[in-house]
Amino acid sequence: MISVSAEAIYRDIRVEPSELAEKLAEKYGYLPYMVQRYILMLGIAETHKLLEAFEKPVKPVVRANTLLLEPDRLASRLDQLGFILEPIPWDTTSYRVVGMGEGSPSIGATHEYRKGYYYVHRDSAPLVPSTLLVYEYRGSVLDTCAAPGGKTTHIAQLLGDKYAIVANDLVLYRIRALIGHILRMRIASVRTIWSDARKLPRLVKKRFGRVLVDAPCSGEGTIMIDPGRKTRTRLLDLARIVKREIEILWSSIEMLSEEGVLAYVTCSIAPEENEYVIAKILEQRNDIELVDPPIKLFNWSSGISSFAGHRFPREVEKCIRIWPHRHGMIGMTICFIAKTRR
Amino acid sequence: MLHREDEEVGVVHQTRKIRVRAGVLAKNYIALISSYLREKLCVNPSRYIKYPLHYTCFNDICIVHEETGKYYSVTLLYSGQWIGVMRGSGVYLSPLLYERVYSDNGYRAAIVVAERGVKNFLYGKDILAESIVEKYPPLDNPVAVLDEYDYRVIGVAEPSRRMGNVFKNVYDLGIFLRELS
């Protein structure tokens, strides 16, 4: 197990907000350190665009449960119910809900939803990691922080409900929701376990060809959905979150079989939670390497290799960054790590 | 604060808001499922379920499925096919299991319900006689409720002699929103 201290991380990631960052933070209602990091990553002009993008809500996305019906049949049924759908160009099973008729039920309360015909995602970005992780893969998968189950049920669908998926989470009420989705969508391939992801290497002997780590994060990419995140995470809180992310990622790598691939995902644009975490792990392991995504779904951005005086290993550029102002989605970062022979 | 205690038939875990119990399904429940499959749906139970069966309860809602216990050394809360739902002293088949049986053998112990009845049923209401558009006997025991739109099973109802021709809602797919989300 890796040993890291939140205080050391705090000292490492501390930034001093500039006058401009203070001003923008006040205007948009953020903690100043957050805006300072945006300026450091993106420059001033793009920071304005990002802050504006966070002010615009994103529309939810429905993913057809292809185990039960064809996507076009779902689309035509939702159309009958008054929903206006737009296809997602790079995912033929999913549609963005851009409008609804007067008197339509909410998208999460239709009969079709209850019957398990679809899953409602907050946005299309969460479709990316599962699609890429199991691309052309057939075998078992571990989802270390699985609840409430959007990515778990997506993986089950992509694998045709034919390969075992072990879905773990620590939080019981979230596991209850995960099981609800598994039942509703009539998925049989998921085994739901209850543990701290950091303890899994000690408690589970099996190793997996694919591991998904959708780490509990600051949610700094989802400010348009939850504006409370503009002020919720102080820098010391962020350091604590980063510590947990490093520990979870370390343990999750331990769960990989040789030549297995892991997707490390956060719904955060914070480099501290992404490239910094990866760099800390790479510093201490010689049995992993970052790998490119197997296909390009759309024109996403690359990981950043330097930030606020940190120089990360150049290979973090293989990570995927989804930016709200560039891609019209929630912010998300995805890195693929392959386990090599020691 | 997390609280755990072992019980004879399973394991109880409790947080402040959620009480979860899991374990091996008692023999009397298994007998109920088997006899329903054999006598009402006229199929060989062993073709559709693997013994032993297990249950997981979140507070008052109990799901019957294929495996609990340990996955290596971790608590396993749910695994495999959804077999049924426990309500009160009864156990009822899942939509998944009904549909597997119907796909092999045709409809039995089922009612097909029109749109308005479906809507009410999915909100936990009972089914009135005028909502039923087709009946597949026997109907004197729990029946599968099928949506007329696509003939999918959306829950289970029981005939109520006391309430005339009403089929009482035992459970419906709305439970996932009402009790598990």
Side-chain angles (χ1 to χ4, degrees), chain A residues 48-247:
Chain A
H48 280 281
K49 288 182 187 167
L50 174 67
L51 294 170
E52 281 301 316
F54 274 140
E55 298 301 307
K56 294 176 193 146
V58 287
K59 307 272 187 190
V61 165
V62 293
R63 167 172 49 85
N65 181 0
T66 50
L67 301 171
L68 295 181
L69 86 172
E70 293 298 319
D72 54 357
R73 203 165 146 234
L74 172 69
S76 95
R77 181 62 181 150
L78 291 178
D79 180 63
Q80 282 172 17
L81 293 173
F83 293 100
I84 303 163
L85 305 179
E86 265 178 12
I88 305 289
W90 44 270
D91 186 323
T92 55
T93 67
S94 302
Y95 304 87
R96 194 176 294 278
V97 184
V98 294
M100 54 196 283
E102 232 174 79
S104 299
S106 86
I107 194 67
T110 65
H111 296 173
E112 286 65 24
Y113 179 78
R114 287 171 158 87
K115 286 195 275 188
Y117 285 178
Y118 60 92
Y119 189 94
V120 182
H121 291 278
R122 294 181 295 183
D123 177 39
S124 55
L127 300 167
V128 176
S130 333
T131 304
L132 297 174
L133 181 65
V134 298
Y135 181 74
E136 293 189 340
Y137 173 76
R138 295 290 174 264
S140 58
V141 178
L142 170 67
D143 188 349
T144 58
C145 311
K151 295 180 187 73
T152 308
T153 55
H154 190 200
I155 289 170
Q157 243 178 262
L158 292 165
L159 297 179
D161 205 19
K162 288 188 169 67
Y163 297 89
I165 299 162
V166 177
N168 175 70
D169 209 277
L170 177 62
V171 183
L172 200 50
Y173 78 88
R174 286 165 61 86
I175 292 178
R176 183 178 64 172
L178 165 69
I179 292 174
H181 288 304
I182 291 167
L183 297 174
R184 186 177 63 81
M185 299 179 79
R186 305 185 191 196
I187 291 166
S189 57
V190 177
R191 306 180 114 185
T192 306
I193 60 173
W194 181 24
S195 174
D196 184 329
R198 292 169 288 195
K199 294 179 180 168
L200 287 177
R202 206 161 33 84
L203 300 174
V204 175
K205 278 188 185 157
K206 183 177 165 61
R207 296 296 179 257
F208 295 81
R210 292 290 183 273
V211 174
L212 176 66
V213 185
D214 188 6
C217 69
S218 69
E220 205 177 326
T222 61
I223 286 170
M224 66 286 273
I225 295 167
D226 179 6
R229 294 189 189 278
K230 289 178 179 180
T231 54
R232 195 173 296 149
T233 310
R234 294 168 303 133
L235 198 56
L236 185 58
D237 300 324
L238 183 64
R240 292 187 183 118
I241 292 170
V242 171
K243 170 181 158 60
R244 185 176 60 196
E245 287 165 337
I246 291 170
E247 290 168 350

